[in-house]
Amino acid sequence: MNQPPAPRLRVGTWNVREGWKGEGDDTGTHDVVRLIQDLDLDVLALQEVPFQGGRSPMLESIARQTPLRHVAGHVLSQAMHVAGSAGIALAARLPLDNVDRVILPNPELAADGLRSFDKGLMTAWLAGEDHRIAVGCLHMVPFRRFGRRAEEPAFGHIWNRAAKEIERVMLPLTFVGGDFNTPRRDLLDLPLEPAHSTARDAVLHSRAARPVALKTVETFSDHPVHVVEFALA
């Protein structure tokens, strides 16, 4: 007797660069929404999301105009390219439960007129039909911009804090998308494997999920969207 196919989950990660397209303060919300509509995602981790006060018109548009009806944001710092603030977010088809927001330690780096802004982590649980799933979004400091390396011992406490917060909510099915700003996924020291990994971005997953398809889509941002389709054990 044939076994039914394993359920699937499509997870994406994208640094939207505050929606800035190099055209004044255009937030690029229309482009973000249109791309999400085309990608058939279940969960999306977003970095450098634009906020105005405590609101994000971009997240509100995603919730209203795409299948990712459930969104949660985390304001972290002032924006660099547009007016207002920037932060991270999770968007999902299923309700986000047990949402937790963490500001990671800021190493207070400075070089060439730049300084390190606060970065952070969001975690949440999804209640699927057959599975309970842990999801996360991580954004780390761009150490290279300050002539530093992410693996330096001086930054170990930042990675340890992120790992501790993720480990606290991990389930057999866990997925973390993020802008790590380094190819060194091992710095988190967690039992998570990279399914789609570049010099900066990655989707990490627990061993109970098996990647079956990968997709990269170039965008107006300086980061592409990375999408992984998983078969769930």
Side-chain angles (χ1 to χ4, degrees):
M1 185 175 179
N2 292 332
Q3 292 290 330
R8 301 295 177 95
L9 189 80
R10 288 173 64 86
V11 181
T13 188
W14 185 14
N15 182 323
V16 297
R17 193 176 59 170
E18 299 165 6
W20 183 67
K21 301 193 299 181
E23 302 169 2
D25 287 340
D26 184 352
T27 60
T29 293
H30 174 74
D31 301 82
V32 172
V33 166
R34 184 176 57 188
L35 186 54
I36 292 173
Q37 289 170 337
D38 292 341
L39 289 175
D40 191 28
L41 292 163
D42 295 297
V43 185
L44 177 61
L46 293 162
Q47 304 87 44
E48 293 191 20
V49 175
F51 288 86
Q52 297 174 6
R55 295 178 51 243
S56 172
M58 179 179 287
L59 290 183
E60 292 169 3
S61 294
I62 290 171
R64 187 172 60 250
Q65 300 178 42
T66 81
L68 305 183
R69 304 294 187 199
H70 306 279
V71 299
H74 182 16
V75 179
L76 290 169
S77 67
Q78 71 183 67
M80 289 190 64
H81 302 293
V82 299
S85 304
I88 57 178
L90 287 166
R93 289 180 186 263
L94 295 170
L96 295 162
D97 187 23
N98 194 39
V99 177
D100 197 14
R101 298 166 174 85
V102 177
I103 297 177
L104 296 172
N106 189 333
E108 303 294 345
L109 302 177
D112 299 326
L114 297 175
R115 61 182 178 85
S116 57
F117 289 167
D118 286 343
K119 300 298 181 183
L121 168 72
M122 284 186 68
T123 57
W125 288 342
L126 306 178
E129 293 182 2
D130 302 310
H131 301 84
R132 195 167 180 83
I133 299 167
V135 295
C137 177
L138 177 66
H139 194 188
M140 294 297 283
V141 172
F143 302 101
R144 69 192 184 285
R145 289 191 178 182
F146 302 96
R148 306 293 294 273
R149 293 178 295 112
E151 61 268 32
E152 291 180 33
F155 308 134
H157 67 293
I158 305 175
W159 293 101
N160 290 341
R161 174 68 187 282
K164 180 180 178 181
E165 295 295 336
I166 295 170
E167 186 176 36
R168 186 175 58 82
V169 299
M170 279 182 64
L171 298 170
L173 285 171
T174 296
F175 304 89
V176 178
D179 179 357
F180 291 75
N181 271 306
T182 175
R184 292 285 304 274
R185 311 299 170 230
D186 58 301
L187 295 176
L188 276 178
D189 194 23
L190 288 171
L192 297 175
E193 301 176 357
H196 208 329
S197 187
T198 66
R200 292 184 286 178
D201 307 299
V203 176
L204 307 184
H205 65 98
S206 54
R207 296 185 179 96
R210 177 171 57 88
V212 295
L214 309 177
K215 186 173 185 178
T216 299
V217 180
E218 297 298 329
T219 73
F220 65 82
S221 172
D222 55 347
H223 292 250
V225 184
H226 298 292
V227 180
V228 187
E229 182 174 342
F230 293 95
L232 307 183

